[in-house]
Amino acid sequence: MKPAKFDYYDPRSLEEALALLDTHQGDGKILAGGQSLMPLLNMRLARPNIVVDINRIKELNYVRASDGGIVIGALARQRTLQTERLIAERMPILQEAAYYIAHPQIRSRGTICGSIAHADPAAELPALALALEAEMTLSSAKGTRSVGAETFFQSFFTTALAANEILTEVRFPAPPRHGDFAIAGIVAGLALDPDRQVIAQARLVYFGVGPTPIRVKAAEEALIGQHAEEAAFEAAAQSAKQGIDPSNDIHASEAYRRAVAATLTMRALRAAVEKLRKN
């Protein structure tokens, strides 16, 4: 099918785009990436009188740092979640999730704000916006307002976005940081053989479980030459329990710290092997 007739505009400024929406009393659609809009137009599920293409409004294409979090403009493509260093540093969950969004062609054209504005209940980005307590900036000819994710998403493909508004940016606040000393902690490093099956090198250092950071060489030796599997991880964890020197205090007992160190060993080794096999 072909879309119903509409007038096409490609403004050079946000003010011009907002004025067009206001003049046509909300009977218009914004075109950014077009990955949701174009199918709707072609199937005539959407029949706007005007389509306002905002791709020439270059000031809407940005990813910026903001108070420990990040701010993403309306024209930032979904692929920037994978390529932008700032996102990797401040919001790594967005980068990890990006690989599950559609496929590379969609991510190359689709915008982050566009997916959030579309509010598909099966889409990843609206869910991430809610999980990360994102704030949406909604702009109209009369001004701007900020709406939290819990209020923004209302029903199937329905949001707080008014017909004469554009979702101009989304703000992801700084994630909560660990603000206390560790009861027990681990720094783990592994190297695998060329076939990525056998552990060639290992480094296990624990903190919060002795008067200094403790490298447990016996646990490392329990791993080297072994297949990177649960049996080897368990042997290292048990060795680590004996190789640390925890104390009793108001926060935790010696036995609890030993148990936590063993659990962290298992988790860290699984995570390390998974990352090595992905790369």
Side-chain angles (χ1 to χ4, degrees), residues 135-197:
E135 291 279 332
M136 270 53 84
T137 299
L138 313 184
S139 301
S140 71
K142 297 179 176 61
T144 63
R145 61 191 180 109
S146 181
V147 179
E150 286 196 8
T151 303
F152 183 76
F153 300 109
Q154 297 181 345
S155 186
F156 289 98
F157 302 99
T158 304
T159 70
L161 191 65
N164 66 338
E165 290 180 319
I166 297 174
L167 173 53
T168 48
E169 71 176 21
V170 56
R171 293 177 173 268
F172 291 96
R177 304 293 181 183
H178 296 295
D180 207 347
F181 290 103
I183 290 176
I186 183 174
V187 178
L190 289 180
L192 300 180
D193 70 347
D195 294 329
R196 300 186 180 184
Q197 299 300 318

Side-chain angles (χ1 to χ4, degrees), residues 51 64 104 136 221 234 244 278:
V51 169
R64 298 172 184 158
M136 270 53 84
E221 292 167 0
E234 177 64 32
I244 57 178
K278 279 184 178 179

Side-chain angles (χ1 to χ4, degrees), residues 64-75:
R64 298 172 184 158
S66 175
D67 298 325
I70 57 172
V71 183
I72 299 174
L75 284 180

Side-chain angles (χ1 to χ4, degrees), residues 9-243:
Y9 297 89
D10 60 340
R12 299 324 196 253
S13 70
L14 177 60
E15 292 73 19
E16 185 182 353
L18 294 173
L20 283 165
L21 290 181
D22 199 54
T23 299
H24 289 81
Q25 300 183 358
D27 193 11
K29 289 290 184 181
I30 295 298
L31 174 63
Q35 303 307 292
S36 299
L37 178 62
M38 296 312 297
L40 291 174
L41 293 176
N42 288 333
M43 290 186 287
R44 300 200 175 191
L45 295 174
R47 294 170 176 254
N49 284 333
I50 65 168
V51 169
V52 181
D53 185 343
I54 63 172
N55 279 279
R56 294 181 183 269
I57 308 175
K58 302 303 182 185
E59 64 265 30
L60 294 179
N61 188 6
Y62 59 85
V63 176
R64 298 172 184 158
S66 175
D67 298 325
I70 57 172
V71 183
I72 299 174
L75 284 180
R77 309 294 173 183
Q78 293 164 15
R79 67 170 179 246
T80 62
L81 298 175
Q82 299 169 277
T83 60
E84 179 62 50
R85 181 177 178 181
L86 185 64
I87 291 173
E89 292 174 348
R90 297 198 173 196
M91 290 285 166
I93 189 173
L94 289 177
Q95 187 172 76
E96 292 179 21
Y99 292 90
Y100 296 94
I101 299 172
H103 47 76
Q105 292 87 341
I106 294 291
R107 296 194 294 269
S108 292
R109 288 300 304 166
T111 61
I112 297 160
C113 286
S115 177
I116 292 172
H118 187 54
D120 188 328
E124 291 84 1
L125 284 168
L128 286 162
L130 181 60
L132 298 173
E133 299 183 331
E135 291 279 332
M136 270 53 84
T137 299
L138 313 184
S139 301
S140 71
K142 297 179 176 61
T144 63
R145 61 191 180 109
S146 181
V147 179
E150 286 196 8
T151 303
F152 183 76
F153 300 109
Q154 297 181 345
S155 186
F156 289 98
F157 302 99
T158 304
T159 70
L161 191 65
N164 66 338
E165 290 180 319
I166 297 174
L167 173 53
T168 48
E169 71 176 21
V170 56
R171 293 177 173 268
F172 291 96
R177 304 293 181 183
H178 296 295
D180 207 347
F181 290 103
I183 290 176
I186 183 174
V187 178
L190 289 180
L192 300 180
D193 70 347
D195 294 329
R196 300 186 180 184
Q197 299 300 318
V198 174
I199 299 169
Q201 297 181 44
R203 185 65 52 88
L204 297 173
V205 176
Y206 298 82
F207 55 99
V209 291
T212 66
I214 298 174
R215 179 181 175 188
V216 184
K217 293 185 178 180
E220 295 173 357
E221 292 167 0
L223 290 168
I224 296 171
Q226 303 298 313
H227 280 82
E229 297 171 351
E230 288 295 301
F233 302 161
E234 177 64 32
Q238 293 306 313
S239 181
K241 286 176 68 174
Q242 304 308 315

